[in-house]
Amino acid sequence: MTAAPGRRSSTFTRLLRHGFTDASAAERLLDSVELAPLRDDPVLLDALGATADPDLALLGLVRLLEAQPHPGARRELLDTLISAKPLRDRLLGVLGASTALADHLARHPDDWQALVTYEARDLHPGVAEFEAGLAQADDPVSLRVAYRRCLLSIAARDVCGTTGVAESAAELADLATATLRAALGLARAAAPEDDALCRLTVIAMGKCGGHELNYVSDVDVIFVGEAVEGADETKAIRAATRLASHMMRICSETTVEGSIWPVDANLRPEGRNGPLVRTLASHLAYYQRWAKTWEFQALLKARPVAGDLDLGAEYVEAVQPLVWKAAERENFVADVQKMRRRVVENIPAAEVDRQLKLGPGGLRDVEFAVQLLQLVHGRTDPSLRSGTTLDALKALAAGGYVGRSDAAQLDEAYRFLRSLEHRIQLFRLRRTHLVPEEEAELRRIGRSLGLRTDPVAELHREWRRHATVVRRLHEKLFYRPLLDAVAQLATGEARLSAEAARERMVALGYADPASALRHLEALASGVTRKAAIQRTLLPVLLGWFADSADPDAGLLNFRKVSDALGKTPWYLRLLRDEGAAAQNLARVLSAGRLAPDLLMRAPEAVALLGDGDGGGLSPRPRAHLEQEILAAVKRADGAAQAVTAARGVRRRELFRTAAADIVGSYGTEEQPAEADQGALVDRVGAAVSDLTAATLAGTLRAVVREGWGDELPTRFAIIGMGRFGGHELGYGSDADVLFVHEPRDGVDEREASQAANKVVSEMRRLLQIPSADPPLLIDADLRPEGKSGPLVRTLTSYAAYYRRWSLTWESHALLRAEPVAGDEDLGRRFIELIDPLRYPADGLGDEAVREIRRLKARMERERMPRGADPKLHAKLGPGGLSDVEWTVQLLQLRHGAREPGLRTTRTREALAAARSAGLITDEDAATLDEAWVLATRVRNAVMLVRGRAGDTFPSDPRELAAVGRYLGHNPGHVGDMLDGYRRTARRARGVVEEMFYGATER
């Protein structure tokens, strides 16, 4: 029947509605002679529409009908197809999911009969049933045909949902077991004389051993051979090797019926370089002397499957004790972690996002995490010794080694990812773990998984959701800090004993193990929940402390924090449950004095170290800081209380900044150390500068409010100078400022001046009152006339002074001027006043340049501390901060009027602008930038380590080592650190000699 022009036939529309994508081709197939009896049967169309790919299922059905040997056979198939729903669902389900199995049915058209039976025993076949299905195979070709026939039944139950993914994987492993036995039987029959000489057992490894095989996968095996009684061992092993090799070829070689799967024996001792078959004694000798960590991990799944099963049982019994002692090996956990990372690193970049097995958030993440937990905890808990991933995960949850919620999420994600893997492989029966990119394939896979509304989008969404869950939980479990410690304990020892602790501490590098032991006993003794949790945490904390330059200080500080917070329920829960918190705390407590001192004054700030939603270690914007401080000022009863609150916020935020700096510099197991040292410096400088500005703003508001109410009789602004104005403050920096005011209308200038001076005096007093919070020193020495000049001036006074008396050094100093607090309009007008001074329209004359050079040379001579090594002085030494900054500032003074990019208070920004403007080469700019960043990092390190500011490397060996760790140098490499600093500074000094002291025209 022909459709009217311009209209589609009703069949065409129905086909589209049933999920066909090529309705025209489907119409032609339905009109074929083979399907003539069922052309208008709605049952067939509904059944096809329920498959993963209706077009593919219909094509496969027509091919199968065409392949039937005679019309009677075709009629039998059609009658059974319509009358028997189980066959219809199974057959069409397979045809819609696998072109490879459709090809098999077209070559062997009677094999559809394997899908007809639907008895209870047929639903869950085991090894015996599969052996029966392969029993008639008498050569490699017939074995392949029989194998595919069995595989057809597994796939049919899988795609119809009769079995879940775990059951399907177990059936595939059982079919592989039966196939190995059949192949070995063929090999024995072909060489009875070899069979008579030896006992040979086949040990399944990997997914086959774990009873969780894929549709298409290498079947990993190990062969163990022994001589029969009275036979020569050498001859027996040669005979066993010939049998094993023949068995492998039977399974692996390509015939007219293709291959079954490769049999891979590379997990044997010495891998492909070792003998294919060894005796049991030879295996044990190798494992006891030479085996690597990963080999014991692989043995976790060892299972005898073919050949002499008694010998196989002896093998497993002999190697199992070695498997469960593997966690006691030195660096066991680190070895396993490195192996997993190496797997990920070796994935081609183009495949990472599509890798279902090896990529981040993939199947291997689940398997490695579960295996690591098994190997560590299975030593003392036999319930964990399963080779099957999901069974082991269930046991880990039951034993409390994994949270039940985490285990449930991992179980769900693993089942989804394995189902996705099965559907991908089933299509062509090819070994792959890459999610396809073609939309048609994604659509078929999505529909096969029950995603019917928008299969492609839903598949991507579900895949990414589960991969994200796996990645998150993998990091939480696989890199779980406790494992290192537990793995290093002897079998049967659940916690550190007091007797073992001293020896362990000496080995870990504690300088005073007796004191450390006392701290440990105080923390871990008792029956309280606090003590129990700390006993679990302490082993790994001790290791982390030992990784620092001062383990003793780390442990002492941990005891202080725990004494202060141990009774608060959130504290230990934070350390136990949040992956980053415990390691972050360990880093902070053992990296030096500053951060622990800040923390001890308010231990509740430890909450910042977690990775939850409390803000963590990310710096807070200045607006948020100012808002918090001003709100505290508003609530306070008087200026003293208000400034105390502001200083408390400053202390907390200094701790946040220092902790983030330490963690970023050291790195953690989850996050490597920050590679961009400049970014670390910029974050610290910006955070401390913003915090200082917010603190001054709050203090100013408090003082004005107490003395004058809502409004001061004069407009008042604070101008940041030096590092403060440049957003480059370090932890120990004073706040360099200028104060400017402007009397309000109708206010006497003397009254205004007295009010402004009183404000400054009171601010300085309140910010320096001795308390638990660090003082904030205000330094106004960069004002006109220096210490001899008035502390506060009006804007008019500044204008008059600069017009008549300004010296070159003052213009130089004003390059870093930026309003930081107070009246914004007044601050803006101050900047407008000084811009012509710091960016002179005609640049600098030769005399001014010579004056700047003389001033710098005098400063280097007079300010360098007596006895200091100039080459290691980060501020005044050659190639230090002063060298770089004065070089950049000279460029700003000379070219700032013409180059807008140079009009910035920030050193690195100005240097980048000079490079862009062609005032300095890329290489020289990079040299100066590297030196400036390193010198700044040295100063920050000294403050973090010693708790007080300094410009030179410490002389104390432990403090020097701590500075080295902060700067990224491993223990024992202090000399490399100092050499590296000298080298960097020397290169920078070469640029300074040319740029600053060289040609005046530069």
Side-chain angles (χ1 to χ4, degrees):
M1 179 177 177
T2 304
R7 299 185 58 191
R8 295 291 192 185
S9 70
S10 59
T11 303
F12 186 95
T13 305
R14 284 168 55 211
L15 290 170
L16 291 176
R17 225 175 21 245
H18 278 82
F20 288 84
T21 56
D22 189 347
S24 298
E27 274 191 299
R28 289 192 297 272
L29 290 172
L30 287 169
D31 286 339
S32 64
V33 174
E34 290 76 18
L35 281 177
L38 300 179
R39 184 174 296 138
D40 299 317
D41 193 322
V43 173
L44 176 62
L45 203 56
D46 288 343
L48 287 167
T51 66
D53 188 335
D55 302 85
L56 195 65
L58 178 57
L59 176 61
L61 178 59
V62 171
R63 290 179 63 205
L64 177 57
L65 289 166
E66 289 174 343
Q68 295 305 306
H70 52 78
R74 189 180 305 147
R75 190 162 49 252
E76 179 188 2
L77 171 56
L78 288 174
D79 290 346
T80 311
L81 188 70
I82 295 303
S83 62
K85 186 177 188 302
L87 171 71
R88 187 166 61 247
D89 291 343
R90 288 177 167 197
L91 178 59
L92 295 182
V94 168
L95 292 174
S98 176
T99 58
L101 290 177
D103 291 343
H104 172 83
L105 285 168
R107 290 196 307 274
H108 304 280
D110 290 339
D111 277 6
W112 68 269
Q113 303 275 1
L115 303 180
V116 174
T117 55
Y118 207 73
E119 304 299 330
R121 62 181 173 79
D122 179 51
L123 295 181
H124 302 290
V127 175
E129 287 76 20
F130 289 125
E131 283 190 288
L134 303 176
Q136 301 305 312
D138 54 6
D139 60 43
V141 173
S142 59
L143 181 61
R144 281 151 176 70
V145 175
Y147 174 84
R148 290 280 194 282
R149 189 182 304 121
C150 293
L151 190 66
L152 186 66
S153 66
I154 294 175
R157 288 186 294 275
D158 182 8
V159 298
C160 290
T162 306
T163 54
V165 65
E167 292 81 4
S168 298
E171 289 181 13
L172 289 165
D174 286 341
L175 175 57
T177 296
T179 305
L180 290 170
R181 291 179 182 179
L184 184 56
L186 293 176
R188 282 171 162 170
E193 65 285 358
D194 284 342
D195 187 35
L197 283 175
C198 65
R199 299 168 65 197
L200 176 65
T201 188
V202 183
I203 308 296
M205 304 287 284
K207 282 188 160 47
C208 184
H211 223 227
E212 51 188 16
L213 197 60
N214 301 327
Y215 276 102
V216 187
S217 174
D218 291 357
V219 171
D220 296 311
V221 299
I222 285 177
F223 296 104
V224 184
E226 295 287 349
V228 299
E229 189 173 350
D232 177 75
E233 183 177 289
T234 302
K235 292 180 179 178
I237 294 303
R238 287 175 183 166
T241 301
R242 287 191 291 271
L243 289 173
S245 298
H246 191 189
M247 187 206 83
M248 293 174 69
R249 290 196 303 274
I250 289 171
C251 296
S252 305
E253 286 182 346
T254 302
T255 70
V256 292
E257 286 292 336
S259 67
I260 301 177
W261 18 246
V263 177
D264 188 341
N266 288 335
L267 292 178
R268 67 187 184 270
E270 300 181 76
R272 65 185 63 195
N273 297 320
L276 183 63
V277 182
R278 288 176 183 257
T279 63
L280 177 55
S282 176
H283 275 279
L284 291 176
Y286 173 83
Y287 288 127
Q288 288 166 349
R289 289 194 65 186
W290 308 110
K292 296 181 173 63
T293 298
W294 69 265
E295 294 178 275
F296 293 109
Q297 186 178 355
L299 284 171
L300 194 149
K301 293 182 177 291
R303 179 172 65 95
V305 292
D308 190 322
L309 297 182
D310 289 338
L311 177 58
E314 290 179 45
Y315 172 86
V316 171
E317 184 179 357
V319 300
Q320 285 299 295
L322 302 177
V323 172
W324 302 112
K325 288 180 180 178
E328 298 170 13
R329 294 164 62 93
E330 187 177 358
N331 300 321
F332 163 73
V333 174
D335 286 347
V336 176
Q337 292 171 341
K338 286 177 185 174
M339 183 166 63
R340 173 64 191 125
R341 284 193 289 267
R342 197 157 51 239
V343 168
V344 175
E345 289 165 1
N346 289 334
I347 301 172
E351 296 182 1
V352 170
D353 292 337
R354 297 167 52 213
Q355 249 292 350
L356 195 61
K357 178 181 178 181
L358 304 178
L363 291 161
R364 191 56 63 86
D365 274 353
V366 181
E367 293 158 1
F368 262 59
V370 169
Q371 289 164 24
L372 179 58
L373 287 161
Q374 284 182 277
L375 289 169
V376 170
H377 298 296
R379 292 178 298 162
T380 54
D381 189 344
S383 71
L384 305 181
R385 298 176 183 179
S386 170
T388 306
T389 301
L390 290 175
D391 290 348
L393 181 59
K394 183 178 179 181
L396 286 165
Y401 303 102
V402 176
R404 293 187 182 277
S405 173
D406 291 346
Q409 290 183 69
L410 269 185
D411 183 284
E412 180 189 4
Y414 189 72
R415 289 177 190 273
F416 175 84
L417 294 172
R418 285 301 303 272
S419 298
L420 178 54
E421 180 184 46
H422 277 191
R423 295 298 189 270
I424 292 169
Q425 293 185 348
L426 181 59
F427 182 49
R428 294 189 180 91
L429 287 181
R430 291 180 184 169
R431 184 174 182 266
T432 179
H433 306 286
L434 292 179
V435 177
E437 296 177 297
E438 295 76 13
E439 185 163 337
E441 293 196 42
L442 293 170
R443 179 176 183 273
R444 183 193 68 254
I445 294 168
R447 283 174 59 90
S448 76
L449 295 173
L451 308 173
R452 297 298 175 100
T453 306
D454 185 354
V456 177
E458 290 179 64
L459 176 63
H460 273 294
R461 186 161 55 247
E462 285 297 292
W463 173 30
R464 292 306 176 195
R465 178 174 72 84
H466 286 297
T468 300
V469 167
V470 169
R471 187 62 183 155
R472 177 175 59 82
L473 293 179
H474 165 259
E475 290 172 345
K476 183 176 179 181
L477 299 178
F478 184 73
Y479 295 103
R480 193 176 178 185
L482 300 174
L483 297 181
D484 280 295
V486 177
Q488 290 165 10
L489 298 178
T491 304
E493 186 180 10
R495 295 288 185 269
L496 283 177
S497 68
E499 295 76 18
R502 180 185 175 89
E503 181 179 343
R504 178 185 171 110
M505 287 179 175
V506 171
L508 287 173
Y510 285 80
D512 187 355
S515 295
L517 182 57
R518 286 195 295 273
H519 299 320
L520 190 60
E521 289 170 341
L523 288 162
S525 60
V527 294
T528 63
R529 177 175 175 274
K530 170 187 172 184
I533 293 176
Q534 289 185 156
R535 279 195 298 271
T536 303
L537 289 169
L538 275 167
V540 70
L541 286 171
L542 289 173
W544 277 329
F545 293 149
D547 188 43
S548 72
D550 195 350
D552 301 80
L555 181 58
L556 172 61
N557 290 331
F558 178 68
R559 180 180 177 183
K560 291 178 179 177
V561 172
S562 288
D563 287 347
L565 294 178
K567 293 182 179 179
T568 56
W570 59 265
Y571 166 63
L572 292 172
R573 187 169 62 242
L574 172 81
L575 298 186
R576 183 192 63 194
D577 296 340
E578 290 208 26
Q583 189 173 7
N584 288 347
L585 180 62
R587 293 295 189 216
V588 166
L589 293 180
S590 57
R593 296 179 185 173
L594 178 65
D597 286 350
L598 292 169
L599 181 60
M600 297 311 166
R601 291 165 182 166
E604 65 276 4
V606 76
L608 300 175
L609 299 171
D611 45 19
D613 298 324
L617 298 180
S618 300
R620 298 179 65 205
R622 175 177 168 179
H624 291 185
L625 293 170
E626 199 163 307
Q627 183 180 26
E628 180 183 1
I629 289 174
L630 292 177
V633 168
K634 187 175 182 180
R635 291 191 302 269
D637 184 15
Q641 189 183 95
V643 175
T644 297
R647 290 175 66 180
V649 172
R650 178 172 177 265
R651 180 208 61 244
R652 183 197 69 210
E653 295 304 318
L654 279 174
F655 172 74
R656 188 198 305 268
T657 303
D661 190 18
I662 291 166
V663 171
S665 297
Y666 272 74
T668 64
E669 289 176 355
E670 293 82 7
Q671 187 69 39
E674 171 69 67
D676 185 352
Q677 304 291 296
L680 283 171
V681 164
D682 290 345
R683 279 200 292 272
V684 171
V688 177
S689 300
D690 286 347
L691 178 57
T692 301
T695 304
L696 290 178
T699 304
L700 175 60
R701 176 74 60 86
V703 170
V704 171
R705 185 175 169 217
E706 180 167 273
W708 294 271
D710 292 333
E711 188 175 87
L712 194 65
T714 185
R715 296 179 182 86
F716 187 89
I718 303 174
I719 310 299
M721 299 289 285
R723 297 192 173 283
F724 187 15
H727 299 255
E728 297 161 359
L729 283 180
Y731 299 110
S733 301
D734 297 345
D736 289 323
V737 299
L738 298 179
F739 298 107
V740 57
H741 77 104
E742 184 179 67
R744 297 187 184 277
D745 293 343
V747 176
D748 179 70
E749 187 167 325
R750 184 180 176 192
E751 177 190 351
S753 179
Q754 288 176 340
N757 276 280
K758 186 175 181 182
V759 165
V760 171
S761 175
E762 189 65 4
M763 286 181 66
R764 298 177 84 172
R765 184 185 72 82
L766 291 171
L767 287 170
Q768 295 178 44
I769 291 176
S771 75
D773 302 313
L776 175 56
L777 302 178
I778 297 176
D779 187 340
D781 289 351
L782 292 176
R783 64 188 183 270
E785 303 178 72
K787 294 180 180 180
S788 304
L791 196 59
V792 188
R793 288 177 181 263
T794 63
L795 184 62
T796 303
S797 175
Y798 274 107
Y801 175 85
Y802 287 137
R803 186 170 57 249
R804 294 188 61 189
W805 308 109
S806 176
L807 301 174
T808 302
W809 75 263
E810 290 172 309
S811 298
H812 185 187
L814 289 171
L815 284 168
R816 315 292 291 277
E818 181 174 292
V820 294
D823 190 292
E824 292 182 6
D825 179 66
L826 181 58
R828 178 185 55 77
R829 286 188 284 131
F830 180 85
I831 297 302
E832 290 174 352
L833 168 67
I834 65 170
D835 270 352
L837 292 170
R838 57 183 180 173
Y839 309 126
D842 298 327
L844 283 186
D846 290 349
E847 181 54 37
V849 171
R850 282 192 289 271
E851 183 183 342
I852 290 174
R853 290 172 178 164
R854 283 195 299 268
L855 182 61
K856 183 176 186 326
R858 190 176 77 234
M859 184 181 71
E860 289 178 6
R861 287 194 308 273
E862 296 176 355
R863 296 190 182 180
M864 181 67 70
R866 184 177 300 173
D869 181 354
K871 294 180 180 178
L872 292 176
H873 198 280
K875 182 177 181 181
L876 300 176
L881 293 173
S882 175
D883 265 2
V884 177
E885 289 167 0
W886 283 58
T887 300
V888 172
Q889 289 158 12
L890 182 58
L891 291 172
Q892 289 180 282
L893 286 165
R894 300 181 68 182
H895 305 284
R898 296 191 303 275
E899 295 292 343
L902 291 172
R903 298 174 208 159
T904 174
T905 61
R906 294 165 166 84
T907 301
R908 298 187 74 209
E909 276 190 17
L911 183 56
R915 185 187 64 228
S916 298
L919 300 173
I920 183 173
T921 66
D922 290 352
E923 183 181 355
D924 286 351
T927 298
L928 293 183
D929 185 73
E930 180 186 7
W932 188 89
V933 167
L934 178 57
T936 304
R937 293 266 293 156
V938 168
R939 296 182 89 211
N940 285 345
V942 171
M943 184 65 188
L944 286 169
V945 169
R946 303 181 68 192
R948 60 182 188 273
D951 296 316
T952 60
F953 288 89
S955 56
D956 178 82
R958 181 156 283 197
E959 291 179 345
L960 188 61
V963 169
R965 294 306 310 278
Y966 171 84
L967 294 178
H969 295 273
N970 291 325
H973 289 267
V974 166
D976 293 341
M977 171 185 68
L978 297 177
D979 288 344
Y981 179 85
R982 291 188 186 99
R983 188 165 52 250
T984 300
R986 186 168 60 248
R987 287 198 303 264
R989 181 64 176 197
V991 176
V992 171
E993 292 284 356
E994 180 185 353
M995 297 288 301
F996 186 80
Y997 292 110
T1000 57
E1001 295 305 314
R1002 186 66 182 255

